Every structure is written in C-alpha cells, then in structure tokens.
Amino acid sequence: MITKRIIPCLDVKNGRVVKGVNFLGLSDVSSPVELAKFYSDNGADELVFYDITASAEGRQLFTDILCEAARTVFIPLTVGGGINTVEDFDRVLKCGADKVSVNSGAIRNPALIGEAAKRYGDQCVVLSVDVKRVNGVFRVFAKGGRENTGMEAIEWIKRGVDAGAGEIVVNSIDTDGVKKGFDLEMLDAVCNAVSVPVIASGGAGCTHDFTTLFKTLPKVDAGLAASIFHFGEVQISDLKKELKSNGIPMRI
C-alpha cells in the first residue's frame, strides 16, 4: 500500500518564511534554510517552497536560498513561484529542486505544462491551483490568490493533467490558515476528476484534520500544511504516529 505523505510548506517572501490567513495578513516566521533542515531532520516526507510574490512582482524565483536549502535537506523538494518558462524549470532544477510547481505561469501559457513534461518528465511537473468559491463555483485564482481568472477549477485541473502535469496541489483559499479542516468537498471533486496524485493544502488546524482527510478521501495522496508546523502546534513525528495508529499507511 502506498504511504501517505506529510508535507510542510514554506511560503517565502523577501528571504523569510511567512504565513497568513486566506492568503492575506502575512507574518514573519523563520529562516527558510533553517526551517527546511528542521523538517528534513524531523520526519517530513517532502518539502514545498513557494516564492509567494515572484509572480505578482513579475520577477524570477529566488535561487540563493533554494541552493542553500537543497544542500541541507535530504527529502524531495518542490519549488514554485515565478515559473513562466521551460528555462525557469531548468534553473530551479539545477539549484537542487526535485519537482517544479507551476501556477500563474501555466495560466498565462498552458502550453508550458506540456513543454516541461516533455523535457523533464511528468513526475517533475506539479500543477498548483489556488481555488476559491465564487457564487458556488470553484474558480481558479492567479498571482498568489489576488486575481480571479474566471476559469472553472476542475476543468482547468483536468486540462493540466491531460497536458502532462504529474501531480496536483489543491490550495483552498477559503480554508487557508483558518485551521478548521481541509476543504473536503473541493478535494473530493478533484480526486474524482483526475488519476494523478493529489495534495491537499489549506485548512489544517490539528492532527485530527489529517486523520479526517485521509479517512474521508482515501484518494488524496498527501496533506500539506504550514502554520501548525511552523508554530509547533503539531509535531510531524507525533502526527505520523497518530495517523498510523488509525490505519493510515505512513513512513515513520
């Protein structure tokens, strides 16, 4: 049986890890390199790095922090933010990333997904989608949740997978940072639409939220969270033991 993954997310702005609520009100947390090493040493299955303002500011993703982090961690590293071209994929992979997450860049140029998948393989291309309900419809948002694209989210995700995305990260803006549980309705819709791994993001507030996620939606491959790990509210080792005791396959 395939084990479920626990993935801390490091949102980086101006060289520091930050966290907000509903993508707003960012507060400083820590050094990304120090935090990455801590998680690598303490049971995280993977790490996700997002340069959260690269797209909105129209610049390239940080590389110095990424290179340093990649040298200090020994678990898979997914990196996103400001990924607009195949050359951006190349640059980030050469800095030590294992997978590259694309969001706004794919919205602007959907062909990017297929081009990157063809060059580096589907397993390297992660489609990250920021989704929010607008009048009861799941809509895709761009530029760090700032801009409503008007696109229906499930159709966009299916299109991305058909183009070559090997993994989907579903970021629920509605539940982000609220700590009242993952967006199960949204995740269920995505899992029923695609056959690639789906990572749930946004809403984790306690250990029980992960148990509920994996028990309710067995098709979800991984749970991603930020603040509950950053602020020590949940220790990854304790979380994984609890999940395993509930019959959820974990790598301990």
PDB file of all heavy atoms in Angstrom, residues 7-34:
ATOM      1  N   ILE A   7       3.628  17.003   4.194  1.00  0.00           N
ATOM      2  CA  ILE A   7       4.496  17.964   3.510  1.00  0.00           C
ATOM      3  C   ILE A   7       4.361  19.354   4.131  1.00  0.00           C
ATOM      4  O   ILE A   7       3.320  20.001   3.977  1.00  0.00           O
ATOM      5  CB  ILE A   7       4.133  18.037   2.011  1.00  0.00           C
ATOM      6  CG1 ILE A   7       4.154  16.636   1.378  1.00  0.00           C
ATOM      7  CG2 ILE A   7       5.082  18.977   1.285  1.00  0.00           C
ATOM      8  CD1 ILE A   7       3.683  16.605  -0.074  1.00  0.00           C
ATOM      9  N   PRO A   8       5.381  19.836   4.819  1.00  0.00           N
ATOM     10  CA  PRO A   8       5.366  21.242   5.253  1.00  0.00           C
ATOM     11  C   PRO A   8       5.566  22.170   4.054  1.00  0.00           C
ATOM     12  O   PRO A   8       6.299  21.837   3.118  1.00  0.00           O
ATOM     13  CB  PRO A   8       6.561  21.341   6.216  1.00  0.00           C
ATOM     14  CG  PRO A   8       6.922  19.936   6.542  1.00  0.00           C
ATOM     15  CD  PRO A   8       6.552  19.128   5.344  1.00  0.00           C
ATOM     16  N   CYS A   9       4.901  23.306   4.108  1.00  0.00           N
ATOM     17  CA  CYS A   9       5.003  24.292   3.038  1.00  0.00           C
ATOM     18  C   CYS A   9       5.671  25.551   3.559  1.00  0.00           C
ATOM     19  O   CYS A   9       5.247  26.113   4.581  1.00  0.00           O
ATOM     20  CB  CYS A   9       3.608  24.620   2.517  1.00  0.00           C
ATOM     21  SG  CYS A   9       3.599  25.909   1.266  1.00  0.00           S
ATOM     22  N   LEU A  10       6.706  25.989   2.863  1.00  0.00           N
ATOM     23  CA  LEU A  10       7.422  27.200   3.239  1.00  0.00           C
ATOM     24  C   LEU A  10       7.105  28.295   2.232  1.00  0.00           C
ATOM     25  O   LEU A  10       7.561  28.253   1.088  1.00  0.00           O
ATOM     26  CB  LEU A  10       8.927  26.948   3.291  1.00  0.00           C
ATOM     27  CG  LEU A  10       9.482  26.212   4.522  1.00  0.00           C
ATOM     28  CD1 LEU A  10       8.956  24.784   4.600  1.00  0.00           C
ATOM     29  CD2 LEU A  10      11.008  26.192   4.493  1.00  0.00           C
ATOM     30  N   ASP A  11       6.269  29.244   2.628  1.00  0.00           N
ATOM     31  CA  ASP A  11       5.973  30.410   1.799  1.00  0.00           C
ATOM     32  C   ASP A  11       7.045  31.457   2.077  1.00  0.00           C
ATOM     33  O   ASP A  11       7.166  31.932   3.209  1.00  0.00           O
ATOM     34  CB  ASP A  11       4.593  30.984   2.141  1.00  0.00           C
ATOM     35  CG  ASP A  11       3.465  30.047   1.741  1.00  0.00           C
ATOM     36  OD1 ASP A  11       3.634  29.307   0.755  1.00  0.00           O
ATOM     37  OD2 ASP A  11       2.424  30.046   2.414  1.00  0.00           O
ATOM     38  N   VAL A  12       7.805  31.812   1.058  1.00  0.00           N
ATOM     39  CA  VAL A  12       8.960  32.694   1.244  1.00  0.00           C
ATOM     40  C   VAL A  12       8.704  34.059   0.607  1.00  0.00           C
ATOM     41  O   VAL A  12       8.288  34.162  -0.544  1.00  0.00           O
ATOM     42  CB  VAL A  12      10.237  32.058   0.652  1.00  0.00           C
ATOM     43  CG1 VAL A  12      11.434  32.973   0.854  1.00  0.00           C
ATOM     44  CG2 VAL A  12      10.486  30.688   1.279  1.00  0.00           C
ATOM     45  N   LYS A  13       8.950  35.108   1.383  1.00  0.00           N
ATOM     46  CA  LYS A  13       8.858  36.479   0.899  1.00  0.00           C
ATOM     47  C   LYS A  13      10.048  37.261   1.449  1.00  0.00           C
ATOM     48  O   LYS A  13      10.314  37.229   2.650  1.00  0.00           O
ATOM     49  CB  LYS A  13       7.545  37.135   1.363  1.00  0.00           C
ATOM     50  CG  LYS A  13       7.391  38.571   0.880  1.00  0.00           C
ATOM     51  CD  LYS A  13       6.094  39.186   1.389  1.00  0.00           C
ATOM     52  CE  LYS A  13       5.940  40.617   0.856  1.00  0.00           C
ATOM     53  NZ  LYS A  13       4.733  41.277   1.406  1.00  0.00           N
ATOM     54  N   ASN A  14      10.767  37.924   0.575  1.00  0.00           N
ATOM     55  CA  ASN A  14      11.948  38.704   0.977  1.00  0.00           C
ATOM     56  C   ASN A  14      12.922  37.884   1.818  1.00  0.00           C
ATOM     57  O   ASN A  14      13.485  38.364   2.790  1.00  0.00           O
ATOM     58  CB  ASN A  14      11.515  39.957   1.755  1.00  0.00           C
ATOM     59  CG  ASN A  14      10.645  40.879   0.926  1.00  0.00           C
ATOM     60  OD1 ASN A  14      10.826  40.985  -0.280  1.00  0.00           O
ATOM     61  ND2 ASN A  14       9.700  41.534   1.569  1.00  0.00           N
ATOM     62  N   GLY A  15      13.093  36.620   1.428  1.00  0.00           N
ATOM     63  CA  GLY A  15      14.074  35.775   2.092  1.00  0.00           C
ATOM     64  C   GLY A  15      13.650  35.194   3.423  1.00  0.00           C
ATOM     65  O   GLY A  15      14.459  34.580   4.119  1.00  0.00           O
ATOM     66  N   ARG A  16      12.386  35.364   3.817  1.00  0.00           N
ATOM     67  CA  ARG A  16      11.895  34.832   5.085  1.00  0.00           C
ATOM     68  C   ARG A  16      10.634  34.008   4.853  1.00  0.00           C
ATOM     69  O   ARG A  16       9.867  34.265   3.921  1.00  0.00           O
ATOM     70  CB  ARG A  16      11.555  35.978   6.059  1.00  0.00           C
ATOM     71  CG  ARG A  16      12.731  36.860   6.413  1.00  0.00           C
ATOM     72  CD  ARG A  16      13.699  36.163   7.342  1.00  0.00           C
ATOM     73  NE  ARG A  16      13.108  35.942   8.672  1.00  0.00           N
ATOM     74  CZ  ARG A  16      13.737  35.307   9.656  1.00  0.00           C
ATOM     75  NH1 ARG A  16      14.947  34.814   9.473  1.00  0.00           N
ATOM     76  NH2 ARG A  16      13.146  35.153  10.836  1.00  0.00           N
ATOM     77  N   VAL A  17      10.424  33.014   5.720  1.00  0.00           N
ATOM     78  CA  VAL A  17       9.183  32.251   5.681  1.00  0.00           C
ATOM     79  C   VAL A  17       8.086  33.078   6.336  1.00  0.00           C
ATOM     80  O   VAL A  17       8.267  33.622   7.427  1.00  0.00           O
ATOM     81  CB  VAL A  17       9.328  30.902   6.410  1.00  0.00           C
ATOM     82  CG1 VAL A  17       7.988  30.153   6.425  1.00  0.00           C
ATOM     83  CG2 VAL A  17      10.397  30.055   5.742  1.00  0.00           C
ATOM     84  N   VAL A  18       6.932  33.189   5.656  1.00  0.00           N
ATOM     85  CA  VAL A  18       5.812  33.968   6.189  1.00  0.00           C
ATOM     86  C   VAL A  18       4.549  33.117   6.150  1.00  0.00           C
ATOM     87  O   VAL A  18       4.482  32.105   5.467  1.00  0.00           O
ATOM     88  CB  VAL A  18       5.581  35.267   5.387  1.00  0.00           C
ATOM     89  CG1 VAL A  18       6.763  36.204   5.505  1.00  0.00           C
ATOM     90  CG2 VAL A  18       5.299  34.959   3.913  1.00  0.00           C
ATOM     91  N   LYS A  19       3.537  33.535   6.900  1.00  0.00           N
ATOM     92  CA  LYS A  19       2.246  32.835   6.877  1.00  0.00           C
ATOM     93  C   LYS A  19       1.134  33.816   7.132  1.00  0.00           C
ATOM     94  O   LYS A  19       1.265  34.723   7.946  1.00  0.00           O
ATOM     95  CB  LYS A  19       2.210  31.735   7.966  1.00  0.00           C
ATOM     96  CG  LYS A  19       1.003  30.810   7.823  1.00  0.00           C
ATOM     97  CD  LYS A  19       1.120  29.949   6.572  1.00  0.00           C
ATOM     98  CE  LYS A  19      -0.193  29.217   6.255  1.00  0.00           C
ATOM     99  NZ  LYS A  19      -1.088  29.974   5.389  1.00  0.00           N
ATOM    100  N   GLY A  20       0.013  33.624   6.408  1.00  0.00           N
ATOM    101  CA  GLY A  20      -1.151  34.487   6.579  1.00  0.00           C
ATOM    102  C   GLY A  20      -2.429  33.679   6.707  1.00  0.00           C
ATOM    103  O   GLY A  20      -2.398  32.473   6.890  1.00  0.00           O
ATOM    104  N   VAL A  21      -3.558  34.363   6.601  1.00  0.00           N
ATOM    105  CA  VAL A  21      -4.873  33.730   6.645  1.00  0.00           C
ATOM    106  C   VAL A  21      -5.625  34.134   5.384  1.00  0.00           C
ATOM    107  O   VAL A  21      -5.691  35.320   5.055  1.00  0.00           O
ATOM    108  CB  VAL A  21      -5.655  34.156   7.900  1.00  0.00           C
ATOM    109  CG1 VAL A  21      -7.066  33.552   7.884  1.00  0.00           C
ATOM    110  CG2 VAL A  21      -4.920  33.748   9.169  1.00  0.00           C
ATOM    111  N   ASN A  22      -6.199  33.115   4.666  1.00  0.00           N
ATOM    112  CA  ASN A  22      -6.862  33.374   3.380  1.00  0.00           C
ATOM    113  C   ASN A  22      -5.948  34.131   2.421  1.00  0.00           C
ATOM    114  O   ASN A  22      -6.389  34.989   1.663  1.00  0.00           O
ATOM    115  CB  ASN A  22      -8.164  34.155   3.581  1.00  0.00           C
ATOM    116  CG  ASN A  22      -9.144  33.426   4.476  1.00  0.00           C
ATOM    117  OD1 ASN A  22      -9.632  33.995   5.446  1.00  0.00           O
ATOM    118  ND2 ASN A  22      -9.440  32.181   4.183  1.00  0.00           N
ATOM    119  N   PHE A  23      -4.631  33.809   2.467  1.00  0.00           N
ATOM    120  CA  PHE A  23      -3.598  34.404   1.618  1.00  0.00           C
ATOM    121  C   PHE A  23      -3.311  35.867   1.976  1.00  0.00           C
ATOM    122  O   PHE A  23      -2.623  36.566   1.245  1.00  0.00           O
ATOM    123  CB  PHE A  23      -3.974  34.325   0.134  1.00  0.00           C
ATOM    124  CG  PHE A  23      -3.829  32.940  -0.462  1.00  0.00           C
ATOM    125  CD1 PHE A  23      -4.044  31.802   0.298  1.00  0.00           C
ATOM    126  CD2 PHE A  23      -3.480  32.776  -1.786  1.00  0.00           C
ATOM    127  CE1 PHE A  23      -3.920  30.530  -0.253  1.00  0.00           C
ATOM    128  CE2 PHE A  23      -3.356  31.515  -2.352  1.00  0.00           C
ATOM    129  CZ  PHE A  23      -3.573  30.398  -1.569  1.00  0.00           C
ATOM    130  N   LEU A  24      -3.829  36.369   3.096  1.00  0.00           N
ATOM    131  CA  LEU A  24      -3.637  37.765   3.484  1.00  0.00           C
ATOM    132  C   LEU A  24      -2.985  37.865   4.862  1.00  0.00           C
ATOM    133  O   LEU A  24      -2.894  36.898   5.593  1.00  0.00           O
ATOM    134  CB  LEU A  24      -4.983  38.501   3.502  1.00  0.00           C
ATOM    135  CG  LEU A  24      -5.775  38.511   2.181  1.00  0.00           C
ATOM    136  CD1 LEU A  24      -7.167  39.054   2.415  1.00  0.00           C
ATOM    137  CD2 LEU A  24      -5.039  39.323   1.119  1.00  0.00           C
ATOM    138  N   GLY A  25      -2.547  39.086   5.240  1.00  0.00           N
ATOM    139  CA  GLY A  25      -2.023  39.348   6.580  1.00  0.00           C
ATOM    140  C   GLY A  25      -0.789  38.538   6.917  1.00  0.00           C
ATOM    141  O   GLY A  25      -0.743  37.802   7.905  1.00  0.00           O
ATOM    142  N   LEU A  26       0.246  38.646   6.111  1.00  0.00           N
ATOM    143  CA  LEU A  26       1.445  37.822   6.283  1.00  0.00           C
ATOM    144  C   LEU A  26       2.253  38.225   7.516  1.00  0.00           C
ATOM    145  O   LEU A  26       2.467  39.397   7.775  1.00  0.00           O
ATOM    146  CB  LEU A  26       2.330  37.932   5.038  1.00  0.00           C
ATOM    147  CG  LEU A  26       1.684  37.484   3.721  1.00  0.00           C
ATOM    148  CD1 LEU A  26       2.624  37.760   2.555  1.00  0.00           C
ATOM    149  CD2 LEU A  26       1.329  36.013   3.771  1.00  0.00           C
ATOM    150  N   SER A  27       2.728  37.214   8.266  1.00  0.00           N
ATOM    151  CA  SER A  27       3.596  37.474   9.408  1.00  0.00           C
ATOM    152  C   SER A  27       4.876  36.660   9.271  1.00  0.00           C
ATOM    153  O   SER A  27       4.873  35.559   8.731  1.00  0.00           O
ATOM    154  CB  SER A  27       2.889  37.109  10.723  1.00  0.00           C
ATOM    155  OG  SER A  27       2.487  35.760  10.707  1.00  0.00           O
ATOM    156  N   ASP A  28       5.979  37.211   9.779  1.00  0.00           N
ATOM    157  CA  ASP A  28       7.292  36.579   9.667  1.00  0.00           C
ATOM    158  C   ASP A  28       7.381  35.352  10.574  1.00  0.00           C
ATOM    159  O   ASP A  28       6.924  35.364  11.706  1.00  0.00           O
ATOM    160  CB  ASP A  28       8.381  37.592  10.065  1.00  0.00           C
ATOM    161  CG  ASP A  28       9.769  37.034   9.868  1.00  0.00           C
ATOM    162  OD1 ASP A  28      10.319  37.184   8.766  1.00  0.00           O
ATOM    163  OD2 ASP A  28      10.313  36.430  10.822  1.00  0.00           O
ATOM    164  N   VAL A  29       7.980  34.278  10.039  1.00  0.00           N
ATOM    165  CA  VAL A  29       8.093  33.039  10.811  1.00  0.00           C
ATOM    166  C   VAL A  29       9.541  32.674  11.103  1.00  0.00           C
ATOM    167  O   VAL A  29       9.939  32.537  12.256  1.00  0.00           O
ATOM    168  CB  VAL A  29       7.407  31.862  10.081  1.00  0.00           C
ATOM    169  CG1 VAL A  29       7.604  30.560  10.856  1.00  0.00           C
ATOM    170  CG2 VAL A  29       5.915  32.141   9.897  1.00  0.00           C
ATOM    171  N   SER A  30      10.367  32.497  10.056  1.00  0.00           N
ATOM    172  CA  SER A  30      11.710  31.956  10.288  1.00  0.00           C
ATOM    173  C   SER A  30      12.557  32.038   9.022  1.00  0.00           C
ATOM    174  O   SER A  30      12.094  32.450   7.966  1.00  0.00           O
ATOM    175  CB  SER A  30      11.591  30.494  10.737  1.00  0.00           C
ATOM    176  OG  SER A  30      12.862  29.936  11.007  1.00  0.00           O
ATOM    177  N   SER A  31      13.815  31.600   9.169  1.00  0.00           N
ATOM    178  CA  SER A  31      14.705  31.439   8.024  1.00  0.00           C
ATOM    179  C   SER A  31      14.293  30.192   7.248  1.00  0.00           C
ATOM    180  O   SER A  31      14.141  29.114   7.843  1.00  0.00           O
ATOM    181  CB  SER A  31      16.147  31.285   8.501  1.00  0.00           C
ATOM    182  OG  SER A  31      16.906  30.517   7.585  1.00  0.00           O
ATOM    183  N   PRO A  32      14.117  30.281   5.941  1.00  0.00           N
ATOM    184  CA  PRO A  32      13.695  29.107   5.170  1.00  0.00           C
ATOM    185  C   PRO A  32      14.704  27.968   5.204  1.00  0.00           C
ATOM    186  O   PRO A  32      14.308  26.800   5.229  1.00  0.00           O
ATOM    187  CB  PRO A  32      13.519  29.648   3.748  1.00  0.00           C
ATOM    188  CG  PRO A  32      14.229  30.949   3.719  1.00  0.00           C
ATOM    189  CD  PRO A  32      14.199  31.487   5.107  1.00  0.00           C
ATOM    190  N   VAL A  33      15.991  28.295   5.227  1.00  0.00           N
ATOM    191  CA  VAL A  33      17.003  27.238   5.236  1.00  0.00           C
ATOM    192  C   VAL A  33      16.984  26.493   6.567  1.00  0.00           C
ATOM    193  O   VAL A  33      17.004  25.252   6.607  1.00  0.00           O
ATOM    194  CB  VAL A  33      18.401  27.824   4.949  1.00  0.00           C
ATOM    195  CG1 VAL A  33      19.463  26.735   5.055  1.00  0.00           C
ATOM    196  CG2 VAL A  33      18.432  28.466   3.562  1.00  0.00           C
ATOM    197  N   GLU A  34      16.920  27.231   7.664  1.00  0.00           N
ATOM    198  CA  GLU A  34      16.882  26.592   8.982  1.00  0.00           C
ATOM    199  C   GLU A  34      15.623  25.749   9.146  1.00  0.00           C
ATOM    200  O   GLU A  34      15.664  24.635   9.684  1.00  0.00           O
ATOM    201  CB  GLU A  34      16.936  27.658  10.085  1.00  0.00           C
ATOM    202  CG  GLU A  34      18.282  28.364  10.192  1.00  0.00           C
ATOM    203  CD  GLU A  34      18.241  29.515  11.183  1.00  0.00           C
ATOM    204  OE1 GLU A  34      17.247  29.632  11.931  1.00  0.00           O
ATOM    205  OE2 GLU A  34      19.204  30.310  11.199  1.00  0.00           O
TER     206      GLU A  34
END
